[in-house]
């Protein structure tokens, strides 16, 4: 197993290099950049990144005017600006260096986990990611636990009742729920329960109501158990109720059907018939013999499911419910051409995805020691 882990770790090096190289090359050919963003703001043509979602803003490329005859500048909208000012902007953002030099410098810094500062927020990228993590951790953790908490019991029940009325109508509900876009359901929830046209039961901004001390739940000098349990925790779940409901609508469909099919495959095997012939109850057969084998794929995929929900986030859900997490940060960074944030999040997320893939393989061996990856080719 040690040799397999070492091979996987070594394979991550060219994989990460390829991901970063392709992404960097794409950026070089993509129109626009941080210099253009500053010029657009100075000329009054800039807008919020979320304007493109809400429809409040005009398209940047469409609204900009560009007359090559008036200026030799390579930037749109740069007419009338001092060329020395443009040169200072290029030096500020590091675009005065050749692309290969910039790419090599970026890789060297990333190897030391030095991600620099955001172009437009004047804060280090690590601090910015840490600032947005509470929202993404909250959504990723709870939606994963909620999804597995629904999917596994429901999948087992559907396998036991295969072909029955219960199995057919639950399959119909799952298919319909999976087909409904989460953001449309989120808008429906907002209209019905969050001060839209009907009820005003749930809030629409942040993870906690303004004025509530989140430090009361942190270990240390500020920890107050009574205040945490009676004020902070209820308010926290009160804010998360609608976003989690919208995200959970279709999140459990795949896992439910995977659980059902895994159980059906195991139930038909010879060892199950032998266990029943010994006089074991159906519950003992299912949870004492079938469960461990049938849940191998489902449980081993838990790390990947969590990391996917955690890092992927949901841009539209975060926008609708005003939750400033990693999903919204990533979108804004791409639109604003905030390259340090774009490349740092890509690097961190890709590295975490590769490590989680390795962890998923190790979970397989932990659940079933008969599995051995030593001879597996990677």
């Amino acid at each position: 197993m040690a040799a397999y882990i070492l091979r996987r770790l070594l394979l991550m090096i060219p994989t990460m290099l390829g991901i970063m190289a392709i992404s960097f090359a794409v950026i070089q050919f993509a129109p626009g950049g941080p210099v253009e963003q500053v010029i657009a703001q100075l000329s009054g043509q800039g807008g919020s990144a979320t304007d493109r979602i809400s429809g409040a803003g005009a398209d940047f490329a469409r609204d900009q005017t560009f007359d090559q005859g008036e200026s030799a500048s390579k930037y749109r909208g740069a007419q009338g600006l001092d060329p020395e000012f443009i040169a200072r902007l290029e030096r500020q953002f590091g675009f005065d260096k050749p692309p290969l030099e910039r790419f090599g410098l970026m890789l060297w810094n990333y190897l030391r986990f030095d991600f620099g500062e955001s172009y437009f927020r004047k804060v280090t990228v690590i601090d910015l990611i840490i600032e947005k993590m509470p929202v993404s951790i909250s959504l990723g953790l709870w939606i994963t636990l909620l999804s597995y908490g629904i999917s596994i019991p429901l999948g087992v029940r559907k396998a036991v009742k295969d072909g029955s009325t219960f199995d057919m109508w639950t399959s119909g509900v799952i298919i319909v729920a999976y087909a409904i876009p989460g953001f449309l359901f989120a808008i429906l929830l907002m209209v019905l329960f969050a001060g839209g046209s009907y009820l005003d039961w749930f809030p629409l901004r942040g993870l906690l109501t303004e004025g509530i001390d989140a430090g009361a739940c942190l270990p240390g000098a500020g920890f107050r158990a009574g205040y945490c349990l009676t004020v902070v925790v209820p308010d926290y779940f009160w804010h998360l109720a609608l976003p989690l409901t919208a995200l959970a609508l279709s999140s459990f469909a795949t896992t439910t059907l995977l659980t059902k099919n895994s159980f059906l495959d195991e139930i038909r095997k010879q060892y199950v018939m032998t266990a029943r012939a010994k006089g074991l109850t159906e519950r003992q057969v299912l949870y004492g013999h079938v469960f461990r084998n049938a849940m191998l794929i489902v449980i081993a995929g838990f790390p990947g499911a969590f990391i996917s929900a955690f890092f992927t986030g949901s841009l539209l859900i975060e926008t609708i419910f005003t939750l400033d997490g990693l999903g919204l940060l990533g979108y804004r960074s791409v639109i604003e051409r905030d390259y340090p944030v774009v490349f740092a999040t890509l690097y961190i997320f890709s590295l975490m995805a590769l490590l989680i893939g390795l962890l998923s393989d190790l979970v397989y061996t932990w659940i079933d020691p008969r599995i051995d990856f030593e001879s597996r080719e990677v």
Side-chain angles (χ1 to χ4, degrees):
M1 181 57 68
Y4 172 74
I5 294 175
L6 179 61
R7 289 199 303 270
R8 287 291 297 270
L9 292 176
L10 292 176
L11 185 62
M12 292 179 187
I13 298 175
T15 303
M16 290 298 301
L17 182 61
I19 292 173
M20 300 305 296
I22 293 174
S23 302
F24 188 85
V26 170
I27 289 296
Q28 302 310 304
F29 295 101
V35 177
E36 288 90 331
Q37 292 294 317
V38 174
I39 293 173
Q41 292 173 4
L42 292 176
S43 59
Q45 296 174 339
S48 170
T50 54
D51 286 347
R52 302 193 180 199
I53 302 176
S54 62
D59 182 73
F60 174 72
R62 182 191 65 205
D63 285 353
Q64 285 203 111
T65 58
F66 178 52
D67 185 0
Q68 291 182 345
E70 295 182 7
S71 174
S73 174
K74 63 182 178 180
Y75 300 110
R76 297 182 177 186
Q79 293 80 4
L81 294 178
D82 185 2
E84 178 58 29
F85 173 74
I86 301 296
R88 287 201 304 269
L89 283 178
E90 290 183 333
R91 288 194 298 271
Q92 175 184 345
F93 295 123
F95 287 94
D96 57 330
K97 300 181 180 66
L100 287 179
E101 183 179 346
R102 285 189 282 120
F103 180 66
L105 182 61
M106 181 185 70
L107 290 181
W108 171 245
N109 290 333
Y110 283 12
L111 286 175
R112 298 179 289 122
F113 288 92
D114 178 9
F115 302 110
E117 287 191 355
S118 167
Y119 283 160
F120 305 109
R121 295 175 177 86
K122 301 303 179 184
V123 63
T124 64
V125 175
I126 290 295
D127 290 339
L128 189 60
I129 292 175
I130 292 175
E131 178 188 341
K132 309 300 182 184
M133 269 191 175
V135 170
S136 295
I137 290 177
S138 296
L139 293 178
L141 176 63
W142 293 117
I143 197 59
T144 303
L145 294 178
L146 185 63
S147 172
Y148 270 70
I150 295 173
S151 300
I152 294 177
L154 181 59
V156 173
R157 185 68 175 173
K158 285 175 64 64
V160 173
K161 299 290 185 179
D162 183 41
S164 66
T165 303
F166 172 83
D167 181 40
M168 289 186 289
W169 76 260
T170 52
S171 294
V173 171
I174 289 173
I175 292 172
V176 171
Y178 188 74
I180 298 176
F183 71 93
L184 287 180
F185 191 61
I187 294 174
L188 175 63
L189 293 175
M190 182 179 65
V191 171
L192 292 178
F193 302 112
S197 303
Y198 298 93
L199 305 172
D200 189 8
W201 289 353
F202 296 94
L204 281 177
R205 183 177 297 275
L207 293 179
L208 290 173
T209 302
E210 186 176 355
I212 290 182
D213 182 17
C217 290
L218 298 177
F223 180 73
R224 289 174 287 166
Y227 181 80
C228 174
L229 293 175
T230 59
V231 178
V232 178
V233 173
D235 187 76
Y236 170 75
F237 284 107
W238 183 44
H239 280 73
L240 283 178
L242 295 187
L244 289 180
T245 302
L247 287 172
L249 181 66
S250 60
S251 63
F252 61 89
T254 302
T255 310
T256 299
L257 297 179
L258 180 61
T259 303
K260 175 191 173 182
N261 293 332
S262 297
F263 264 79
L264 285 177
D265 290 340
E266 294 296 323
I267 287 174
R268 296 175 180 141
K269 292 184 177 179
Q270 186 66 40
Y271 75 91
V272 177
M273 298 177 61
T274 304
R276 287 171 174 164
K278 290 180 178 179
L280 298 180
T281 64
E282 192 66 19
R283 186 179 185 85
Q284 289 175 322
V285 171
L286 285 176
Y287 295 100
H289 292 74
V290 177
F291 188 84
R292 181 174 181 177
N293 295 324
M295 295 306 296
L296 178 62
I297 297 178
V298 178
I299 296 177
F302 181 84
F306 170 69
I307 209 69
S308 175
F310 171 57
F311 284 125
T312 303
S314 178
L315 168 64
L316 295 176
I317 297 297
E318 289 180 10
T319 303
I320 291 170
F321 294 106
T322 323
L323 297 171
D324 195 4
L326 292 175
L328 194 56
L329 172 66
Y331 174 77
R332 285 174 173 168
S333 300
V334 171
I335 296 300
E336 296 170 359
R337 305 301 195 271
D338 197 347
Y339 293 153
V341 179
V342 172
F343 283 116
T345 51
L346 175 65
Y347 180 84
I348 294 173
F349 296 171
S350 299
L351 183 60
M352 289 297 297
L354 292 173
L355 292 174
I356 289 299
L358 176 58
L359 178 60
S360 296
D361 285 349
L362 298 180
V363 171
Y364 274 109
T365 62
W366 174 66
I367 296 175
D368 190 348
R370 296 172 298 177
I371 297 178
D372 184 12
F373 290 103
E374 281 291 347
S375 59
R376 178 179 175 182
E377 297 292 334
V378 293

